[in-house]
Each structure stands twice: as structure tokens, then as C-alpha cells.
């Protein structure tokens, strides 16, 4: 049977499989075919597992929630027997000795992993340009970046190569690339999804989540991966709600806060117009828009880059050339081996962050930087607690600008860090956030180019059902 796999959602593909319109093998073949044809240019994938995926498709149990559905994984998630590069040379030759819990749960739900996607090295970046393993292009404008750090997963879903993928979000790495590539990206509440088997960047901020074409698909993916895991002591030991059941209930009376600090920030004017239209759509659906303040917003970037780099500097100490990955060939003694293996294996941004993180944790500077940043983090968290005593959700752009040109921000790390001004706070506060496509914007000096714009919604801890319901209502309004 002939069908177009590039426009399928998980739910439409699942229904078609169950009706027998096509088989799981045909579906996986179609996705692999698209990857073969188009990924040479796009660069979303670091590797595929065609043979294994097809064999799994033949065995697929279509009664399972994700039975026979092809997905992709960001390459910092361990999948038994496969490479897990984290976009770095230092993990050359490493193969995952076990499945990450989120991956094991997707497999148990019947999903079929077709490949591993490109990312900024160790998830440090906002454009996927920090990958040591190749370039990923934006599916809507090939000279532009897909966002990052989960740029490969976002590009794969945005281009229709797969209906869904997993990413990780430490400061925006799901929501921002989703916005750049025109797909839905969900960062769950800290602890909602086990981090076991996710290579750690900043452990108090990291969270795994899905990229999909629709909110209903995001609900389906989250259902499969959420829940307590004895192997991750920070995973929440609370019941997992049914994320799909209330999707159609509408948002009449929902109070949505607009932080004045976010809306007075330098937002691209065409993007601002698109966001304003999206807010009007939400109002038209019965939501009440309320202006509010998150007074410590100006400290978010500084506090994030102190805490994230501090945690990264300790997490990345394990890559020493001894236990796994790249080992320098010509070191004279152990110390030289550490120096050379790490010097050769890590890229410049990772080195910058290890240096910064080591510095802020060093004796004498710990109190002035790391401890201070933790205190500011508490204030940022309180800002949200206050805000959520007045509103149900908070809305903002997912990023202050749309997908930028490759190379445009690589010379100045601070410019790159600003790509995340609207997403970082959710990780510091541990709250969930979703980015959803809310229209396209034209680019002044480039007639014909239309870039996706992402609306971000944030909610209090464990408010994923509300976030997904609002996102679903918004989608329905747009498509009716
Ligand atoms: N861009 C941010 C950083 O570089 C966030 C990355 C992420 O969420 N993994 O740290």
C-alpha cells in the first residue's frame, strides 16, 4: 500500500496499523526510506538500526500503546548494544551496556527505535553546532540551525522522518529546538521521568521528554515513559495520571499569566506579533490572560550557567580515558593519559564549561558563586510559586528569536546562551513546560522564508495534564 509516512502522527499511524492499512514493517521501511533519501542533507541522524528495527517491526504487538511505531532517540540515551556518543568524540567506541529506563519503557510499550539523533556535545548548546559529529540543518530553512541541544530529534520530527523522538532538556533543549523546527516539545516536571541511562549533564536540571507533531502524541509518549524508578532516587514516587483522558475538555476559565519581564525582553517583532495572535486564540477559547511578574528573571541566565556548569564539571569527571571511550594512544603516565584523553576528546564548549564549573566550585569561590546561585535559584522557584497562586499556566515565546543562521552565534557564547532566556527558569524551578507550534513568521530580507514560531506554556509541578489540554485546545482551534 502507498502512504505518506511524513505526515503521520503517532495516533494516526497507530490507528492505520490496527486497521491493517499497512503493516509495522511497511511503516518502519517508509521511515527508513525517508531517512535514506533526505537525511544526507538534513543530518538529523547519527546512525540508524535498519535491520534490527525491521525485525522488531515483524514481531510488533499492535495492541500495545505504541505497538509498531517508529521513534528516534537523542544520542545521550542508552540503548542496549548501540553507540551512545553524546555528540562527542570522547565516547568513541562506547556501546550502551543497558537500556535507559525511558528507553526500556518505550520498548515495552511497543515502540521501535529506528535511530540515534545528533546533539550538541553533552547537551551543551542551543544550535547543535557544538556536535563533534556533524551538522544538522533546520528542515524549514537549510542554512539555519535546528536549535539545540536536541537538534537532531527536533529536525527528525519537524522534517517528518519519524513521528516522534525523545530528547533531554536541562535548560530548554527540548522546547527551543521544537520551536525552531515546528514541532511539539514537552519538558516534564523534574522527576516525572527517570533519568537512569540518560548521560548526565546537570543532574538537578536534566529531564527527558518527547518531540511530537501534536499534543495528543506528546501525551501518549509521556504516558509510556513517566513514573517512579527505583534506579533514579529523584524520580517522583507519585501516581502517574492519564495524560490523554482530559485533552478535549477545553480551557474555559483557565488563567494564563503573561510575565511582564518576558514580554518586555528583546523579542523579535515579527515573532511578537505571532505570539500575540496565539494569545488571542487562547483568549478566544475562554482563557483569561493575566499580566504578572517573575521579579528574579534577570538572574536566571547567570544562576543557570553557574549551577549547570558546576554539575557538569563533576559529572564529566568520569570521562577519563580509563573506563570507556577515547583513550589517548601515546601518554607516558596516568596523569598524562587523563590530560591527553580529555584534551583530545572534549570539544571547546565542553572544556569551557568544565573550566567554569570547576572554578565556581573551588574553595574560596564556592560561596561567592555556586552557593549564591543556589540561593538565587530558590528565589526563582518562589517567583513561580507566587505566580501559580494566581494563575494556572504561564505563557511566553519559547525563544526570543526564530531559528538563526548557522555560524551566526558560534563566535560569541554569550549570544548563544541568550537563546534560552525563556526556557532556563523552568529547569531551575523543576516545573514542566511545553513548546507548541503557533504559526510562521516571515524574515525581512529573505522573501519566501517562513520560520516556525513556538509558544511556551509553563505550569506548576505535575501540571502536565493541564499543559497538554491547553496545547491540544490551541491546536484544535488552529486547525478548525
Ligand atoms: N542551551 C542550554 C545549555 O547550553 C540548555 C541545554 C540543555 O537544555 N541541554 O546549557
Amino acid at each position: 500500500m502507498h502512504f505518506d509516512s511524513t505526515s503521520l502522527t503517532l495516533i494516526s499511524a497507530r490507528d492505520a496499523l490496527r486497521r491493517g492499512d499497512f503493516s509495522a514493517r511497511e511503516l518502519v521501511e517508509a521511515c527508513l526510506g525517508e531517512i535514506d533519501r533526505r537525511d544526507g542533507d538534513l543530518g538529523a541522524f547519527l546512525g540508524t538500526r535498519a535491520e534490527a528495527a525491521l525485525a522488531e517491526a515483524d514481531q510488533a504487538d499492535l495492541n500495545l500503546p505504541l505497538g509498531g511505531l517508529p521513534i528516534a532517540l537523542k544520542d545521550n540515551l542508552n540503548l542496549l548494544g548501540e553507540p551512545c556518543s553524546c555528540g562527542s568524540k570522547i565516547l568513541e567506541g562506547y556501546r550502551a551496556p543497558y537500556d535507559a529506563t525511558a528507553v526500556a519503557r518505550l520498548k515495552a510499550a511497543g515502540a521501535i527505535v529506528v535511530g540515534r539523533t545528533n546533539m550538541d556535545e553533552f547537551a551543551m548548546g542551543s544550535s547543535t553546532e557544538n556536535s563533534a559529529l556533524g551538522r544538522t540543518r533546520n528542515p524549514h530553512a537549510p542554512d539555519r540551525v535546528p536549535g539545540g541541544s536536541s537538534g537532531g530529534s527536533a529536525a527528525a520530527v519537524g522534517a517528518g522522518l519519524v513521528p516522534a523522538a525523545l530528547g533531554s532538556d536541562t535548560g530548554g533543549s527540548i522546547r527551543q529546538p521544537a520551536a525552531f523546527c515546528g514541532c511539539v516539545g514537552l519538558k516534564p516536571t523534574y522527576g516525572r521521568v527517570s533519568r537512569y541511562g540518560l548521560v548526565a549533564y546537570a543532574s538537578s536540571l536534566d529531564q527527558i521528554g518527547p518531540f511530537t507533531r501534536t499534543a495528543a502524541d506528546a501525551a501518549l509518549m509521556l504516558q509510556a515513559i513517566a513514573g517512579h524508578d527505583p534506579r533514579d532516587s529523584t524520580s517522583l514516587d507519585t501516581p502517574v495520571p492519564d495524560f490523554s483522558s482530559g485533552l478535549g475538555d477545553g480551557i474555559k476559565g483557565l488563567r494564563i499569566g503573561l510575565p511582564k519581564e518576558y514580554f518586555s525582553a528583546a523579542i523579535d517583532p515579527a515573532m511578537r506579533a505571532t505570539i500575540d495572535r496565539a494569545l488571542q486564540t487562547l483568549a478566544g477559547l475562554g482563557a483569561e490572560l493575566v499580566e504578572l511578574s517573575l521579579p528574579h528573571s534577570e538572574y536566571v541566565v547567570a544562576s543557570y550557567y553557574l549551577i549547570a556548569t558546576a554539575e557538569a564539571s563533576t559529572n564529566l569527571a568520569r570521562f577519563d580515558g580509563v573506563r570507556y571511550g577515547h583513550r589517548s594512544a601515546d601518554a607516558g603516565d596516568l596523569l598524562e593519559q587523563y590530560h591527553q584523553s580529555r584534551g583530545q576528546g572534549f570539544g571547546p564548549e565542553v572544556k569551557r564549561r568544565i573550566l567554569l564549573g570547576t572554578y565556581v566550585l573551588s574553595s574560596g569561590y564556592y560561596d561567592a558563586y555556586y552557593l549564591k546561585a543556589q540561593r538565587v535559584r530558590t528565589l526563582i522557584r518562589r517567583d513561580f510559586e507566587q505566580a501559580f497562586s494566581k494563575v494556572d499556566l504561564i505563557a511566553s515565546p519559547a525563544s526570543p528569536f526564530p531559528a538563526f543562521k548557522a555560524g551566526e552565534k558560534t563566535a560569541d557564547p554569550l549570544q548563544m546562551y541568550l537563546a534560552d532566556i525563556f526556557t532556563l527558569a523552568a529547569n531551575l524551578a523543576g516545573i514542566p513546560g511545553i513548546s507548541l507550534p503557533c504559526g510562521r513568521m516571515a524574515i525581512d530580507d529573505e522573501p519566501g522564508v517562513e520560520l516556525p514560531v513556538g509558544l511556551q506554556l509553563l505550569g506548576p509541578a505535575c501540571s502536565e495534564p493541564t499543559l497538554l489540554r491547553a496545547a491540544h485546545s490551541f491546536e484544535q482551534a488552529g486547525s478548525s
Side-chain angles (χ1 to χ4, degrees):
M1 147 155 203
H2 220 70
F3 63 100
D4 177 13
S5 68
T6 63
S7 59
L8 289 173
T9 62
L10 290 173
I11 289 175
S12 65
R14 183 187 69 182
D15 293 347
L17 284 176
R18 287 181 182 169
R19 277 195 307 268
D21 293 355
F22 44 76
S23 68
R25 170 175 271 267
E26 287 170 317
L27 176 58
V28 169
E29 263 171 359
C31 289
L32 289 167
E34 288 297 327
I35 296 170
D36 264 354
R37 265 192 299 284
R38 290 159 58 210
D39 201 52
D41 290 331
L42 190 65
F45 283 86
L46 292 174
T48 51
R49 48 194 296 278
E51 224 171 283
L54 289 169
E56 285 164 28
D58 288 337
Q59 304 295 320
D61 177 353
L62 303 184
N63 293 315
L64 291 171
L66 298 171
L69 299 176
I71 56 146
L73 297 179
K74 184 178 185 178
D75 209 22
N76 58 354
L77 289 156
N78 278 273
L79 170 63
L80 177 66
E82 301 286 337
C84 177
S85 71
C86 295
S88 180
K89 285 199 226 149
I90 208 160
L91 276 166
E92 214 164 54
Y94 170 80
R95 282 190 180 256
Y98 63 94
D99 280 331
T101 297
V103 173
R105 288 184 178 174
L106 282 181
K107 283 182 171 175
I112 297 174
V113 179
V114 295
R116 305 172 291 108
T117 59
N118 199 15
M119 56 183 283
D120 282 300
E121 187 173 5
F122 286 101
M124 298 174 186
S126 310
S127 66
T128 312
E129 290 168 295
N130 292 334
S131 170
L133 305 179
R135 167 164 178 202
T136 302
R137 293 171 193 270
N138 188 301
H140 304 279
D143 56 342
R144 291 176 183 263
V145 301
S149 64
S150 315
S153 285
V157 175
L161 300 183
V162 279
L166 283 188
S168 65
D169 189 313
T170 303
S173 281
I174 292 175
R175 290 160 287 155
Q176 184 257 31
F180 280 19
C181 293
C183 41
V184 174
L186 173 69
K187 181 200 94 76
T189 306
Y190 183 75
R192 184 81 281 176
V193 179
S194 165
R195 292 179 294 108
Y196 180 74
L198 166 71
V199 178
Y201 162 16
S203 309
S204 77
L205 304 161
D206 297 340
Q207 189 58 194
I208 299 169
F211 289 91
T212 52
R213 304 173 76 97
T214 64
D217 278 3
L220 204 60
M221 287 286 279
L222 183 61
Q223 203 73 52
I225 60 177
H228 180 63
D229 176 10
R231 292 184 165 122
D232 173 3
S233 62
T234 65
S235 70
L236 294 172
D237 200 357
T238 54
V240 177
D242 182 335
F243 296 111
S244 301
S245 65
L247 284 179
D249 292 352
I251 54 167
K252 212 167 170 38
L254 199 77
R255 292 169 66 84
I256 299 182
L258 308 177
K260 62 172 197 259
E261 292 80 4
Y262 286 24
F263 282 90
S264 61
I267 302 173
D268 180 294
M271 167 166 277
R272 175 71 202 249
T274 311
I275 294 287
D276 284 345
R277 274 197 299 279
L279 295 174
Q280 286 321 309
T281 302
L282 290 170
L285 291 165
E288 192 186 332
L289 303 177
V290 184
E291 189 175 291
L292 53 73
S293 171
L294 296 169
H296 297 92
S297 294
E298 65 175 301
Y299 305 113
V300 163
V301 174
S303 139
Y304 171 84
Y305 277 97
L306 294 173
I307 293 169
T309 56
E311 294 184 18
S313 72
T314 60
N315 274 328
L316 270 57
R318 74 193 64 175
F319 302 105
D320 55 9
V322 175
R323 284 168 289 187
Y324 25 58
H326 171 75
R327 178 181 303 174
S328 99
D330 51 0
D333 58 21
L334 184 64
L335 198 60
E336 211 173 286
Q337 186 187 300
Y338 289 159
H339 283 160
Q340 290 187 5
S341 304
R342 288 167 70 79
Q344 294 158 1
F346 288 135
E349 182 63 23
V350 174
K351 286 179 184 161
R352 175 165 25 246
R353 301 217 188 174
I354 291 174
L355 284 171
L356 186 59
T358 306
Y359 177 78
V360 305
L361 288 176
S362 61
S363 82
Y365 294 101
Y366 181 94
D367 289 4
Y369 293 110
Y370 182 71
L371 196 62
K372 186 82 163 272
Q374 290 291 13
R375 292 194 168 131
V376 172
R377 180 178 190 173
T378 302
L379 297 176
I380 291 165
R381 184 178 296 142
R382 282 192 199 141
D383 279 358
F384 282 100
E385 280 165 18
Q386 285 270 315
F388 290 128
S389 68
K390 298 191 209 93
V391 296
D392 301 294
L393 300 179
I394 286 174
S396 80
S399 155
F401 37 70
F404 47 88
K405 289 239 168 86
E408 192 180 308
K409 296 186 195 291
T410 39
D412 182 351
L414 284 178
Q415 280 304 314
M416 190 70 89
Y417 296 174
L418 292 180
D420 306 305
I421 47 172
F422 300 137
T423 49
L424 299 172
N427 301 74
L428 291 167
I431 59 173
I434 193 166
S435 168
L436 51 144
C438 69
R440 300 276 186 119
M441 58 178 273
I443 301 293
D444 277 351
D445 45 357
E446 282 182 74
V449 176
E450 293 231 305
L451 298 175
V453 175
L455 176 73
Q456 174 178 246
L457 297 174
L458 303 173
C462 298
S463 65
E464 285 88 347
T466 316
L467 284 174
L468 289 162
R469 173 160 56 90
H472 180 76
S473 307
F474 181 80
E475 268 169 19
Q476 299 299 308
S479 56
S480 60

